[in-house]
Every structure is written in C-alpha cells, then in structure tokens.
Amino acid sequence: MKHYLALIFCCCAAQVSGQKFIERVYMKDSITVYEGYIIEQTPAKNVKIYRLKEKDTLQIALIDVWKIIKLHEVQKRAKPFAQPSNRYYKSVYFEYYGRTYSYSVNFDMRTERGRRNGWGINAGLGALTTASKPGVRILVPFGGNYLFGEHKEFLEVGVGAVFMFYTGGADSVWRVDSRWGVDKKKDFAYGTVAVGYRHLPKANGITWRATYSLILIRQRFEPWYGVGIGYQFW
C-alpha cells in the first residue's frame, strides 16, 4: 500500500498548478525507461505519458512501474531556431540599378546546405527601354558571391558578368552606350565587382540589400550603386 501511495504522489506532483514537468518512468524489468510528460494517472491502475523522443502517448499499468522521478519543469520560453541542415537557402529579389544599370529580377542561392552565409550563386533578368523611341535591351546578369556574418546582418562581396542583347528598334536605348564606346546595335557583355550589405531573416521572410558596384568595360571601371528587396526561403 505504501508503495502505491508513493507512486500516486509522484504522478500527481507533476500536475500541480497546471505546470508540465519532464518525468522519467522506470519499469520493473529494470531495462525499460520512458521519458516525457505525465498527462494522466488513474490511482492504483494506470499512468499515461507523452513520450518526447517518440512523440506519442503511452498508457502504462502502474503495477509494472518501479518508480517515477520528476526531473525539471518544462521551459516555457520559445525554443531557439534550428536551421534546416538538409536544404539550400534561396531568395528572389527585385533590384533597382545595381549591376544591370536598370531594373532586374534576381535569384540567389547558397551552395552549402543549411548555411545562410558562405558561397552563393545568382542569376537574373532585366530590361532597358526608352519612352521617346521604341527599342529594348535584354540584360542577363549572373555571378557568384560570398557572405560574411551571422544572425541577420551580412557583408556581401561578389563578382559576375552581364550580357546585353540588342533586340532592334531605336539606334540606342541606353544612354551610356556612347559613353562606354560600344556599338549601339550589337550585343555585348561586361564584368562586375560588388560589395554591400545584406539583411537575411533566420527563417523564411523578407530580405533586403544595398550594394556598391564597379562595372568593368573597355578596360575601365564605372562606379554604380543598387538597392534590392525580396523574399528568402528554403
């Protein structure tokens, strides 16, 4: 009788004030041990436990239990975010100016699973038009970058290239064609080097960036800037 009263007392203690406790239930076979929340008990008959590791509910005959030990109260604070280790972080963002000297939509992806920093690759699509004359240039930027930092703030360093395709129409739809000394009616490409700031959430969410770029064309550098906003996901 004393033995059963002690077991019942241990079970009931876990439910005081509606608080949850991690409890360890030892079976009489001296081998089996269950750990979790004691969620229900029937005096002198059964005890029901939610097992943490197995994530299931188990009902145990109290007569088969040797002892129950209350370990500690479950912490009510939010658990720290755990980055997924088997997925690539990706983002899609709209950029104003930047390496395309125009507007573009871009895709960026880390090359190592579970990391928001480190090496990444990117590609995009942009266009240049004028209001006064018909015509358009299609821009296709791509490149690689490296992110330094942790948490949400990162320093970005990147290199890449941009291909520009002439699709007809006006002699020139880009105001810097002449300044750069390129043929107004031909396709051409140029290189880019960029450094900037990138904000990345720890989970899925809004991301933004600001960059300072150097455009390498005709053996000289043209400085430029860019800002972008988008969405990160995995």
Side-chain angles (χ1 to χ4, degrees):
M1 178 63 69
K2 292 183 178 179
H3 175 69
Y4 288 118
L5 289 175
L7 289 175
I8 295 169
F9 174 79
C10 290
C11 294
C12 292
Q15 310 302 320
V16 176
S17 301
Q19 297 174 330
K20 287 186 177 180
F21 293 84
I22 301 290
E23 306 226 17
R24 192 170 289 157
V25 179
Y26 294 83
M27 305 303 291
K28 284 186 176 179
D29 60 11
S30 74
I31 298 175
T32 309
V33 180
Y34 302 116
E35 187 169 289
Y37 308 139
I38 299 295
I39 57 176
E40 184 181 322
Q41 67 88 29
T42 304
K45 288 186 178 182
N46 299 302
V47 60
K48 188 178 290 185
I49 182 171
Y50 174 77
R51 297 191 294 178
L52 295 172
K53 185 177 180 181
E54 295 80 0
K55 298 187 182 301
D56 64 2
T57 301
L58 191 67
Q59 185 168 287
I60 306 167
L62 202 55
I63 194 172
D64 297 327
V65 176
W66 173 44
K67 65 178 178 178
I68 301 175
I69 297 179
K70 181 170 65 178
L71 301 178
H72 54 78
E73 184 181 354
V74 178
Q75 297 296 322
K76 295 181 180 178
R77 62 178 181 272
K79 295 182 179 179
F81 172 75
Q83 295 188 157
S85 59
N86 61 340
R87 300 182 183 181
Y88 296 100
Y89 275 88
K90 300 173 283 289
S91 61
V92 177
Y93 62 92
F94 172 81
E95 187 172 40
Y96 173 72
Y97 282 9
R99 56 186 176 172
T100 64
Y101 247 90
S102 179
Y103 306 93
S104 62
V105 177
N106 300 269
F107 173 80
D108 182 278
M109 184 179 79
R110 299 299 93 197
T111 58
E112 186 174 341
R113 296 177 189 270
R115 289 187 62 180
R116 292 179 300 131
N117 55 11
W119 290 105
I121 55 175
N122 56 71
L125 182 66
L128 286 162
T129 61
T130 60
S132 58
K133 297 180 180 181
V136 63
R137 279 194 185 276
I138 302 299
L139 298 90
V140 181
F142 70 94
N145 53 55
Y146 194 93
L147 297 183
F148 299 90
E150 297 179 356
H151 305 298
K152 296 183 179 181
E153 321 301 327
F154 297 87
L155 171 67
E156 176 181 353
V157 178
V159 295
V162 178
F163 287 96
M164 300 188 68
F165 300 98
Y166 175 71
T167 61
D171 289 344
S172 176
V173 296
W174 203 19
R175 62 181 179 276
V176 295
D177 280 356
S178 300
R179 187 173 107 190
W180 284 3
V182 299
D183 192 313
K184 298 177 182 179
K185 294 187 178 182
K186 288 186 177 181
D187 303 337
F188 67 97
Y190 58 87
T192 63
V193 178
V195 60
Y197 162 83
R198 188 184 296 197
H199 173 91
L200 295 173
K202 290 185 177 181
N204 295 352
I206 301 298
T207 175
W208 62 86
R209 64 202 301 266
T211 58
Y212 179 82
S213 302
L214 292 176
I215 295 176
L216 175 61
I217 189 169
R218 300 298 185 186
Q219 298 182 346
R220 70 175 184 270
F221 286 101
E222 291 281 346
W224 204 239
Y225 65 90
V227 292
I229 186 168
Y231 188 81
Q232 176 187 262
F233 58 97
W234 63 70

